[in-house]
Amino acid sequence: MQRLVYILLLLLLPIQIMGKRDSLLWVGIKNAGIVFQQGTYDSVLVQAQRLLIIAESQEDVLAESQLHSLMGFCYQEQGDQRQAMQEFDQSVTIGETHQFLQKAKKAKHHLYHTIMLPAYSQLSTYYYKKNLEKGVKYAKSGIAWIAPCEDARLRVSSMSCFSEVLMAHKDYMLLYEPMKQAVADAIRQNQVDIALQMTAYLVQIERQMFHRSPSDIPWIKAGKELLSVAKTEHPKTLFLSAVSSADKGEATENTVKKTEKADTVPEQAIQESRMRQDSIQTRIQYIHVRNQRIVVVGVILLLLLVIFFGYILWLRHLRKRKEKESERQLKESYLEGIEQERSRLARELHDGVSNQLLAVEMKLNADGLTEQTMRLLNESREQVRRFSHELMPPEFELATLDEIVEQYVFQMNGVHGKHIVYESSENVDWSTIPHEKAYELYRMVQEAVTNVLKHSEATVVLVKMTMETGHLHVSVSDNGHGETSSSGKGIGLRTMQQRAEAIGAVLRNEHTERGGIILIDLETSSL
C-alpha cells in the first residue's frame, strides 16, 4: 500500500511542477514518469540518466533528487534492491547537502516532501532487519519531514514505515506526537489498517512510557472500534497483543500491590490469574499461526496472478513487435524499389540522353545542323519526355482517375485475345482523389491487368471502381483458374502491396472457383 502511494506521488510530481517550472528538463521528467507507469523500466532508466546530466549542468538540485528517486523505484520494480537503495540514498544525500529541510520549512513547499519522504521511508524499511541502527538513522531523518508535509496520504504512509522501525528501537518520545496525528489522518483517509497498527503502538507507548492502566488509555477504545472494520490480520494481531500486554502488566502490578499489603495470597487466585494469562497467550498464538497461513496463501495467489498477467503482457508485446517488424520490412522493400527505379532512370539518362546529346554536339561542331543532327535531337527530346511521363504522367494533371483507367482499359481491350471491361460509379466527383494517390491506384490496376494478360488463362477481365460513403473500392477480377489467375505471384504482388501501404489502402488477393480477384479499399476520409 505504501509503495503504491509513493509511486502515485512520483508520477504526479512532475505534473505538479510543470506549472512552476516550464522547461525541457521537467517535460522530460514528466514523460519519464508516464513511461514508468507503462512498466518499461529499462527505458525510464536510460531517460533518467540523460536527464540527470542536464539537471547537473543546470544545477537543478530538485530535479537531481527527483531523478535519483525515480531510478530507485525502477530498480526496485526490477528486483535490484541494492541498486535501488543506492539511488534513494543519493536522493536524500542531495536533500541534506543542499539543506532542503530548511528551505521546505521556510517556503512550506510540499514538492520537497514528495521527493524526500518516500526515499527515507524506503531506506528505513530496507535496513530495518538488515541493520537496525542504520534503519533508525534514516527513520529519524525522515520523521523530521512529517510535520511540515501538507499531503495527508504521504504523512500516513511514511509514518507507517518510520513507526515500525522506531518502535523496535523504543524511541517512544520521538514517535508519540507524530503518531497521534498520523492516526487521525489515517482515519480521515479511510486507511483503517494503518490507523489500527499505529493505535496498537500508541497503546504500548502509553503503557511503557507513562505507565497508565488500560482503563486510562483512550486508544484501546478507539482501537476496538477500528478492529471490526480492519481488513488484514497483521494490525488486528498487533492490537490484540498490545491490549493483552497492557492487561497482563496491570494484573502483575495489582498482584505486586496486593503482595505488599499482605504476606500471603490465596493460591487459587494466583492460579486463576495464570490461567487467564495462558488463555490470552494461547489465543494470540493461534491468531498468529492463522495469519501466517493466510499470508502464505495470499502470496502464492498473488504470484500466480502476477505470472499470468506478465505472460499476457509478454504475448502482447511479442505480437506488437512482430507487427512493427513486418511493417518495417514492407516499407524498406518499397523504398528499395523506389531507389532501384531512380537508379534505372539515372542510368538511362546517362547512357541514353547524355550520349545522344554528346553526339549532337560533335555533329554540330563538325557538319553544322543537318538532318541526322535533327533526328538525334528529336530522339533525345522523346527520351526525356518518356522519362518525365514515367515519373508522373501528365494526364493526371488533366484528367481524373476514372477517365485515365477507362482510357487504359480501352487501349488494352483485345490484347492477347482478352476481353477487358470497365465499370465505375456514376455521379461521383473523381477529382477529389489527389494525384499522388490516383497515380498509385492506377499503377496497381495496371499491374493487376498485366498479370492477367501475361499469366492467366482467363478470357474476360472486369475492372470496377465504386465510391461509397467513406470508402473507394477498386477491383480487378478474371475468370482464370488456380495459380494462373489475375493475382500473379512474386514481385508483382509485393509491389502492389507496398503501393497500397504507401497510400494507406488495404489490398486483398482472393481465389475462387470462378477465377481470381484483386480488391483495393481506400478510406476517402484520409484523402
Side-chain angles (χ1 to χ4, degrees):
M1 181 65 186
Q2 288 88 341
R3 181 181 293 185
L4 182 62
V5 172
Y6 295 151
I7 292 175
L8 179 61
L9 293 170
L10 182 70
L11 297 174
L12 293 178
L13 176 62
I15 299 175
Q16 297 169 346
I17 298 178
M18 287 299 295
K20 308 175 185 298
R21 299 189 173 206
D22 188 10
S23 67
L24 292 177
L25 173 59
W26 285 99
V27 169
I29 295 176
K30 174 186 175 183
N31 293 335
I34 294 172
V35 175
F36 178 91
Q37 190 176 19
Q38 296 171 353
T40 313
Y41 305 118
D42 289 334
S43 299
V44 178
L45 289 171
V46 173
Q47 293 181 34
Q49 291 288 353
R50 294 174 180 173
L51 293 171
L52 190 58
I53 296 174
I54 299 174
E56 291 172 351
S57 65
Q58 295 180 2
E59 296 182 354
D60 192 339
V61 292
L62 183 61
E64 291 180 42
S65 184
Q66 166 68 7
L67 288 168
H68 280 295
S69 183
L70 176 60
M71 289 190 290
F73 280 109
C74 285
Y75 284 121
Q76 197 170 61
E77 292 298 320
Q78 291 179 337
D80 191 347
Q81 291 291 335
R82 182 174 175 274
Q83 185 64 37
M85 293 308 119
Q86 290 181 3
E87 296 297 336
F88 288 132
D89 184 72
Q90 185 66 24
S91 177
V92 300
T93 300
I94 292 174
E96 294 168 353
T97 304
H98 294 274
Q99 298 180 341
F100 272 16
L101 182 57
Q102 288 74 12
K103 293 181 180 179
K105 286 181 178 178
K106 291 179 181 179
K108 295 183 178 179
H109 204 317
H110 68 280
L111 300 180
Y112 293 103
H113 314 121
T114 312
I115 296 174
M116 301 299 288
L117 272 174
Y120 276 122
S121 300
Q122 296 300 313
L123 287 165
S124 63
T125 302
Y126 176 78
Y127 288 108
Y128 168 51
K129 294 184 179 180
K130 295 180 178 293
N131 187 339
L132 181 59
E133 292 298 325
K134 197 170 184 180
V136 169
K137 169 183 170 292
Y138 286 118
K140 287 182 176 179
S141 299
I143 207 169
W145 293 80
I146 292 288
C149 180
E150 297 178 358
D151 194 308
R153 293 174 302 169
L154 190 54
R155 290 199 304 267
V156 171
S157 299
S158 302
M159 197 64 202
S160 176
C161 297
F162 299 149
S163 61
E164 187 174 9
V165 179
L166 295 175
M167 282 295 294
H169 200 252
K170 298 184 179 181
D171 290 313
Y172 301 141
M173 188 63 69
L174 181 63
L175 280 172
Y176 187 65
E177 291 300 328
M179 195 178 293
K180 289 195 296 185
Q181 181 62 41
V183 170
D185 290 337
I187 293 174
R188 283 195 294 270
Q189 295 291 326
N190 198 29
Q191 299 185 45
V192 178
D193 290 1
I194 296 179
L196 183 59
Q197 174 186 340
M198 287 187 282
T199 300
Y201 291 149
L202 285 170
V203 172
Q204 296 180 39
I205 292 174
E206 294 275 0
R207 184 64 187 160
Q208 297 293 330
M209 190 168 68
F210 301 112
H211 305 288
R212 291 174 179 164
S213 63
S215 59
D216 296 329
I217 300 176
W219 302 108
I220 294 179
K221 180 179 179 181
K224 288 180 179 179
E225 294 177 356
L226 295 171
L227 192 64
S228 60
V229 292
K231 297 178 181 179
T232 58
E233 292 296 328
H234 175 68
K236 294 180 181 180
T237 305
L238 193 64
F239 176 76
L240 291 174
S241 177
V243 173
S244 174
S245 298
D247 292 336
K248 187 186 298 184
E250 183 181 35
T252 303
E253 291 175 2
N254 291 336
T255 302
V256 172
K257 289 178 181 178
K258 291 178 181 179
T259 304
E260 292 174 351
K261 292 179 180 179
D263 295 330
T264 61
V265 177
E267 186 66 25
Q268 185 178 359
I270 297 175
Q271 189 68 22
E272 290 177 356
S273 176
R274 290 176 180 176
M275 289 177 64
R276 285 197 300 271
Q277 294 175 10
D278 292 342
S279 177
I280 293 173
Q281 190 66 28
T282 302
R283 183 184 176 189
I284 292 174
Q285 290 177 355
Y286 169 75
I287 293 174
H288 181 67
V289 172
R290 185 186 64 181
N291 292 342
Q292 285 182 337
R293 292 175 180 174
I294 293 174
V295 169
V296 170
V297 173
V299 170
I300 293 174
L301 291 176
L302 181 62
L303 287 175
L304 291 175
L305 191 62
V306 169
I307 292 171
F308 173 74
F309 281 107
Y311 178 70
I312 296 297
L313 291 175
W314 177 77
L315 289 179
R316 184 179 299 175
H317 172 73
L318 188 63
R319 185 176 68 253
K320 289 183 179 180
R321 184 175 179 181
K322 288 182 179 179
E323 290 175 355
K324 289 182 180 180
E325 182 66 20
S326 177
E327 182 180 355
R328 182 186 64 81
Q329 290 177 353
L330 281 174
K331 289 180 179 179
E332 288 181 355
S333 178
Y334 182 69
L335 292 174
E336 183 180 353
I338 293 175
E339 291 298 325
Q340 290 177 355
E341 181 66 12
R342 288 177 176 173
S343 299
R344 184 188 69 81
L345 290 174
R347 289 195 302 270
E348 291 291 338
L349 288 172
H350 179 271
D351 298 340
V353 178
S354 178
N355 290 334
Q356 283 188 336
L357 290 176
L358 179 60
V360 170
E361 180 184 1
M362 295 174 64
K363 285 286 186 180
L364 287 173
N365 290 335
D367 304 329
L369 186 60
T370 63
E371 182 179 351
Q372 184 180 12
T373 304
M374 288 298 296
R375 180 173 56 79
L376 289 173
L377 282 173
N378 287 333
E379 290 178 358
S380 299
R381 180 176 59 81
E382 286 298 323
Q383 286 190 9
V384 172
R385 181 173 175 272
R386 176 168 55 84
F387 293 151
S388 66
H389 286 186
E390 289 183 5
L391 291 174
M392 178 56 74
E395 52 264 28
F396 284 91
E397 299 289 339
L398 306 174
T400 65
L401 174 64
D402 177 57
E403 294 169 339
I404 295 171
V405 173
E406 183 178 15
Q407 178 64 25
Y408 169 72
V409 171
F410 176 77
Q411 292 174 351
M412 300 301 293
N413 188 28
V415 175
H416 296 299
K418 304 292 192 296
H419 181 56
I420 307 176
V421 181
Y422 175 68
E423 296 179 2
S424 64
S425 299
E426 298 180 357
N427 301 323
V428 173
D429 186 6
W430 296 98
S431 62
T432 58
I433 304 175
H435 298 323
E436 61 273 11
K437 293 193 177 183
Y439 175 75
E440 297 293 342
L441 290 168
Y442 173 65
R443 289 303 190 200
M444 284 189 277
V445 171
Q446 277 188 314
E447 181 66 31
V449 173
T450 301
N451 284 337
V452 176
L453 297 179
K454 289 182 177 180
H455 308 295
S456 177
E457 298 177 0
T459 57
V460 178
V461 183
L462 174 61
V463 180
K464 188 175 182 179
M465 287 203 314
T466 59
M467 188 180 294
E468 301 173 353
T469 304
H471 287 274
L472 168 64
H473 302 285
V474 181
S475 65
V476 179
S477 58
D478 62 79
N479 61 348
H481 302 286
E483 296 182 353
T484 60
S485 68
S486 63
S487 63
K489 295 185 69 175
I491 192 171
L493 183 59
R494 291 199 301 271
T495 302
M496 293 171 67
Q497 184 67 45
Q498 292 160 5
R499 290 184 184 274
E501 293 283 345
I503 62 173
V506 177
L507 177 71
R508 288 185 294 160
N509 173 30
E510 298 180 358
H511 294 277
T512 66
E513 294 180 356
R514 293 176 294 180
I517 183 170
I518 293 290
L519 299 172
I520 305 168
D521 182 54
L522 176 66
E523 290 188 12
T524 56
S525 59
S526 62
L527 299 179

